[in-house]
């Protein structure tokens, strides 16, 4: 068992917890909440955020630390690939959301949270990008591209 294998295992565990949570929120919870009266919908979203945001922050940190560590161990042919770039893009987007936009309450201030459709679409786009990073990462790390 090498350092790289252990890092990769933690990297994937972090991705599972974080992106699995985003999938559950996007594909199941938000569509259910969107059927509720406006005030109750916002209340439910805040409860959900209260429980999941810190879990996602820890997972994002684990994915970032292990990702950059593996990056330092790998040769340039692997690290200079577009699929690693895609992973980094997804990581930067979520990091900005979880560590900057949410603590500043930007989704509420911009009215995004009050528009059920827009809020769902933003989550769906982020989930799509994250799933693309997983799909391409698994193929790319086996030399598939
Ligand atoms: C700072 C951000 C990130 C960096 C630097 C990074 C870096 C890496 C590296 C170096 C590998 C190993 C590649 C290899 O074995 O050749 C890897 C694997 C992987 N990463 Fe990331 N990653 C990051 C974020 C993400 C994100 C956000 C996701 C998912 C949304 C992700 C999903 C994966 C997957 C699925 C694998 C392949 C696992 C396998 O099948 O071997 N990574 N990543």
């Amino acid at each position: 068992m090498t350092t790289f294998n252990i890092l990769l295992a933690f990297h994937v565990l972090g991705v599972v917890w974080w992106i699995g949570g985003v999938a559950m929120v996007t594909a199941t919870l938000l569509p259910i909440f969107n059927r509720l009266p406006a005030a109750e919908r916002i209340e439910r979203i805040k409860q959900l955020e209260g429980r999941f945001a810190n879990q996602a922050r820890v997972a994002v940190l684990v994915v970032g630390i292990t990702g950059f560590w593996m990056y330092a161990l790998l040769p340039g042919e692997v690290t200079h690939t577009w699929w690693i770039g895609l992973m980094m893009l997804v990581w930067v987007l979520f990091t900005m959301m979880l560590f900057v936009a949410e603590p500043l309450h930007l989704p509420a201030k911009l009215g995004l949270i009050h528009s059920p459709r827009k809020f769902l679409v933003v989550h769906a786009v982020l989930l799509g990008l994250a799933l693309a990073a997983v799909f391409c990462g698994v193929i790319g790390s086996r030399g598939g591209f």
Side-chain angles (χ1 to χ4, degrees):
M1 211 183 332
T2 63
T3 304
F4 188 90
N5 293 148
I6 295 167
L7 290 171
L8 185 57
F10 277 109
H11 192 69
V12 174
L13 280 184
V15 168
V16 167
W17 195 277
W18 156 27
I19 306 303
V22 176
M24 171 61 113
V25 168
T26 308
T28 306
L29 295 175
L30 285 183
I32 291 173
F33 293 172
N34 284 356
R35 292 199 207 108
L36 298 171
E40 198 184 337
R41 175 180 162 274
I42 300 288
E43 185 55 34
R44 289 270 176 270
I45 290 176
K46 286 193 174 148
Q47 281 174 343
L48 177 67
E49 197 182 297
R51 278 208 81 91
F52 185 61
N54 279 337
Q55 295 176 34
R57 285 187 185 107
V58 172
V60 165
L61 282 177
V62 169
V63 170
I65 291 167
T66 52
F68 284 119
W69 195 335
M70 286 189 292
Y71 192 90
L73 295 175
L74 282 170
E77 309 87 74
V78 179
T79 51
H80 299 153
T81 50
W82 62 267
W83 49 272
I84 295 249
L86 179 61
M87 287 183 207
M88 287 187 183
L89 171 72
V90 169
W91 186 82
V92 168
L93 287 176
F94 276 91
T95 300
M96 294 301 287
M97 273 187 41
L98 288 163
F99 290 95
V100 181
E102 274 185 8
L104 294 175
H105 305 292
L106 286 187
K109 283 181 187 157
L110 295 172
L112 190 62
I113 199 170
H114 298 285
S115 166
R117 210 181 131 72
K118 274 193 208 152
F119 198 58
L120 186 59
V121 168
V122 169
H123 278 80
V125 169
L126 287 171
L127 175 62
L129 273 175
L131 292 179
V134 172
F135 187 86
C136 299
V138 169
I139 296 176
S141 62
R142 279 156 192 80
F145 291 115

